[in-house]
Structure formats: C-alpha cells, structure tokens
Amino acid sequence: MYQYTAFDRHFVHRRAAQFRDQLERHLAGQLSEDEFRPLRLQNGWYVQRHAPMLRIAIPYGELASRQLRQLAHIARTLDRGYGHFTTRQNLQFNWIPLARAADAMDLLAEVDMHGIQTSGNCIRNITSDALAGIAPDEVVDPRPYCEILRQWSTLHPEFAFLPRKFKIAVTGAREDRAAIGWHDIGLQLVKDEAGDVGFAVYAGGGMGRTPVIATRMSAFVPWQHILLFIEAIVRVYNRYGRRDNLYKARLKILVKAEGAKFVEAVQAEYRAILERDEGGGAHVIPQAELDRVAAFFVAPPGVAPRAESVDAIASTAYRRWLERNVHAHRLAGYRAVTLSLKRAGQAPGDATAAQMDAAAALADRYSHGELRVTHDQNLLLPWVRQDELHALWDEARAASFATPNIGLLTDMIACPGGDFCALANARSIPVAAAITERFADLDELWDIGDIDLHMSGCINSCGHHHSGHIGILGVDKDGAEWYQITLGGSDGSTLSGAAAPGKVIGPSFAAEEVPDVIEALVDTYRERRAASERFIDTVKRLGVDPFKASANAVRRATAAVPA
C-alpha cells in the first residue's frame, strides 16, 4: 500500500485545520450557507435528508486495518454506529452533526484519510479493480498509476470547477472488473507488440438520465504521457461542456453530441500541450517517479509463492464459501477472500463499528493488515494463505462476513435511497430487505446462479441500476414511490459481456410488487434456460419480451396504472 510522506501528512492536516476555520466561521454566522456550501462540498460534506453526510475517499479501494479501525471509532463516537461502503470505493457516514464535522476531519487526517474531492464538480476518487496487484489475469498492476493520478488530480487548479462531477476508473487486467466503460474516463493498461506499457483510453461514459458507454479516444497512450492525455480530455470538457443545464453538463453529453469532433479536439489539445504549453512536458511521468511510487505496491514482507495445499474439509457450507467468496491469486498458495457485507437485517454495503473492528482484526490476522473495498460494496482480504482458509472461514462466520452469496442475487448493489438521500425519489433499503428475505434459501440461490441485481433510489444512478442484469430504479409519481425494472445491463465483466445499459420492461411497479416481479423474472429464467446457461445469457438469447410478460402477470396495485 502507498504510505503517506511527511508532505502528504502535512497537507491533509492543514486541510483539516482549514476546514475547521471555515466551519467555525460558518457556525458563527460569518460565512453564509451559499458561501460555505462549496467549501464543505470540496471536503466531502453534503446536507442530506436528515443530517449532514460525509463521504470519505478510499483511493482505488485500498484500506489499512488501522484506517478501518479509525472509521469504526468515528462511527461509534460521532455517528450512529455504522457506515456505508459505496460502489466507487468510498465510505459514507450519514449522521455526524455539522458542529462535529471538523472533529471527524481531524480523526481522518490522523490515519492519512480525508474527504477531499469526494463531492463537487471536480475529479473524484480514482477507482480500480479490487484484485489489482493480485489477479492472475493482470497485465500491469494499475495501483502505481492510480496513485500518481490521485496526487496529480487533487486540488488541480484548472479542474476544481468543472461543468459537472468527473469520475476516472483504471484497470490493468484482461477482465474489466472496474466498469471502465461507465466512467467519464476509463483507462485500460495494455502492452504493445514490443512489450511497452501504455493505456487504451475511453471517455464519455456515464449513467444518470442518459446512460452512455464510453468512446475510445486512443488505443495506446504511452504510460509516460497519460497525465497529458487526461489533461487534454478534461481541458476540452472544461472549455466546451455545458454549464447552462445540470442534466446535460456531464462529459458523456458532450462526447455523444460531438462524436469524432471531440476525439479530434482532444488529440489537438494533447499535441498542443506537448508542443506549445509553457512547461507542458513537466507532466510527462519520469521513470524515477513511477519507480518511487511502485515501490510501495509490492507483496507484504514474507509473502512469496507457497506449495498449493489440498483442503479435505467436506462441509457443504465451507465448500460453498470456497466457491463463492474465495478467488484465485497470482501467487501460488495464496487466495483473495471476499467478506460479504450482504446479509439479512442490514442494508447492502453497511457495516457497523463492531463489524469494521472485526474486519480489521481479520485483516491483521490473515491479510497483513490490508483490505480492499470492492465495486460491489463488499470488503476483500488480498493476502490470505490457502492453508489458513478454514480458520478464516470460522472467524468470518462468527463476524457475519461468510455468507456464500458473492455474485448471487442477494449480493446486490444498492444506494441508501430515500431513507437518507435528499435527491432520492424512492427508498432502496426496504426493497433490498424484501428481496433478501424472499431469496433467503441458499439452495435456491445456488440453483439460480449468477445475477447482478443493481438498485438506485433515483435517476442519478448511484446504485448503478443501468449495468445490472436486473436493474431497479426508484421513481416518483405524484408523491408515491414506484420502481422501474430494466433487464440485460452489463458492467463490462467477462460474465456480463461488453458494457451496455439494460432495457426497461414496461411501466413501473409499486414497492410491494417488486419482490414478486423479481421472483417472476427468475422463474422465467429457470423455466427457459438452456443447460448451464446463466441468467444474462438467457436474457440475451430470448430478449426481454418473455420476462416482461411474466413481470406484468404479477401486477396487482399497478394493473390498471398507465405508463
């Protein structure tokens, strides 16, 4: 993991002190709400439905056990005892009083964390594959490049007030586990025929009201020039992106409208930076700088390939956990293990202070003090010895982390929805709970197999409903909560296929109908699937019409409601 330097620590402590001064002046009436709003947003503070919300960056998903313990401490002492892990590898607190906001920032700074640029119209948290550095299919470890991007983009003076928020995802593996096609900029590390490292660069992806898959800007940008090429993209966006319409301000709208002209403008800006900018070459990444940063991203001391062992444990529960929660590793004798944050009685992605402490203890005992936050709102231990898997399983079960449902229907992605978010049109948490209860039988879940179920409480798509095999979108109709269902979406993974938005299957449903609708969709799949065919493949083969018919057949409250 990257370790903060003295400069890094000074920076975040001074930023926390600056925020405390701003907060005190606001509470004293010296800064109006309009004056204070951009200051709090740039530090990750929102005002939500019931209380302030703090969003904390976990860059490219890497988290140390000491940091997780501090998050547990904040949850216990300043919040209501829990936090929420998001799809973009952040953690959110929903109940910290504004008067204690600066205290939270000081506590974060103590463990090299902050909320800088987790909100506002700027470059947000850089995200990546949770298996970065350990995946067997990895071409190049993306983490050193993610860290360089993080340092470059933090408080970048030219990009602090973009037309809209801006999100970057990076992957270095053959399989896209970072959903790069759905981001403003998606970066795929590749090697050319000579073995030189570079990036395939995509831009203009995004969800929201207009789901768009990113367009390829370049098949190969040398790694040394990646900051320059990204700067060219963001400059063109900053210059031409719309500021007159909130819904048309994202980069995806500009890329979609301009097409090839946008790509040409980026290439021209890229050449201008290299050839004409005063000091334009200063952001060419030197080999020495990459080496300096990459030195942090090595295997922990004592970790080296080991002999593979044969596990003789015959328990069905343990075998299921091995199949679903344990993942292949680039080092022989090691595995990555997902700690499931999806269980009955808690919202997807939520973790209590006690659970955070328990996860930190598991990381110390089995993963050299390191965890990852996954795109699917779970935690992952990246350095687990194969011969310690059974002991880890025993402890993970005791801490409620061992549900063997990774990739299954109840391993759903969901935003907090209307229970917390001021922007939400409908609640997500009660619907998620009802679906989890409906599909509580593990035997049934295993028979159903892999399904990505994603749910958002509003069109902002924080729950990534567009990319779900089954997507659920909360909508408002005359003050009532309704839910639109989509089918066939993809995040770009091998299972799902190329990134694509799901198709709406008809008029929205009432909240009480949603579990019946999901069951009807699943039953249709089970009736019509070919041998060993997964849900998404059956949808692609049959189209949405058979599923639409089965969903409409279970309408009750909405049977006579127009679209």
Side-chain angles (χ1 to χ4, degrees), residues 128-151:
S128 190
D129 179 3
L131 295 176
I134 59 173
D137 68 331
E138 190 164 83
V139 178
V140 181
D141 187 347
R143 295 174 298 167
Y145 303 96
C146 290
E147 177 58 29
I148 289 170
L149 271 169
R150 181 194 73 83
Q151 295 186 21

Side-chain angles (χ1 to χ4, degrees), residues 134 303 306 321 326-327 329 331-339 362-363 365-368 370 380-393:
I134 59 173
V303 172
R306 302 169 54 86
W321 180 79
V326 178
H327 318 287
H329 203 287
L331 291 180
Y334 281 84
R335 299 292 186 269
V337 176
T338 298
L339 303 179
L362 292 176
R365 198 165 299 129
Y366 296 103
S367 189
H368 295 266
E370 184 181 334
L380 181 139
L381 302 179
W383 303 104
V384 180
R385 279 173 38 177
Q386 185 189 14
D387 60 3
E388 294 184 332
L389 285 172
H390 193 269
L392 170 57
W393 176 65

Side-chain angles (χ1 to χ4, degrees), residues 484-497:
Q484 187 181 84
I485 307 296
T486 56
L487 274 181
S490 170
D491 56 8
S493 62
T494 299
L495 165 65
S496 303

Side-chain angles (χ1 to χ4, degrees), residues 191-315:
K191 290 184 179 180
D192 65 12
E193 293 180 356
D196 293 327
V197 174
F199 289 88
V201 181
Y202 301 83
M207 297 193 183
R209 293 175 183 271
T210 309
V212 178
I213 306 304
T215 297
R216 192 169 75 177
M217 299 286 115
S218 176
F220 189 88
V221 175
W223 65 265
Q224 297 93 333
H225 287 188
I226 191 59
L227 298 183
L228 306 182
F229 199 86
I230 292 173
E231 178 144 353
I233 294 173
V234 186
R235 280 189 183 185
V236 173
Y237 171 53
N238 205 20
R239 187 182 307 142
Y240 297 115
R242 293 185 63 171
R243 286 179 162 86
D244 62 327
N245 186 318
L246 182 67
Y247 304 114
K248 296 183 179 181
R250 291 292 297 270
L251 174 66
K252 63 185 180 181
I253 301 299
L254 181 61
V255 174
K256 187 176 181 181
E258 297 298 321
K261 290 182 179 179
F262 181 87
V263 181
E264 292 167 3
V266 168
Q267 293 287 351
E269 188 67 35
Y270 175 50
R271 290 192 298 271
I273 292 172
L274 282 171
E275 297 168 6
R276 296 203 308 269
D277 270 25
E278 179 68 28
H283 285 160
V284 173
I285 304 170
Q287 182 67 53
E289 176 62 8
L290 178 64
D291 292 344
R292 181 189 74 83
V293 176
F296 292 104
F297 299 101
V298 294
V303 172
R306 302 169 54 86
E308 292 281 318
S309 59
V310 177
D311 201 322
I313 305 298
S315 158

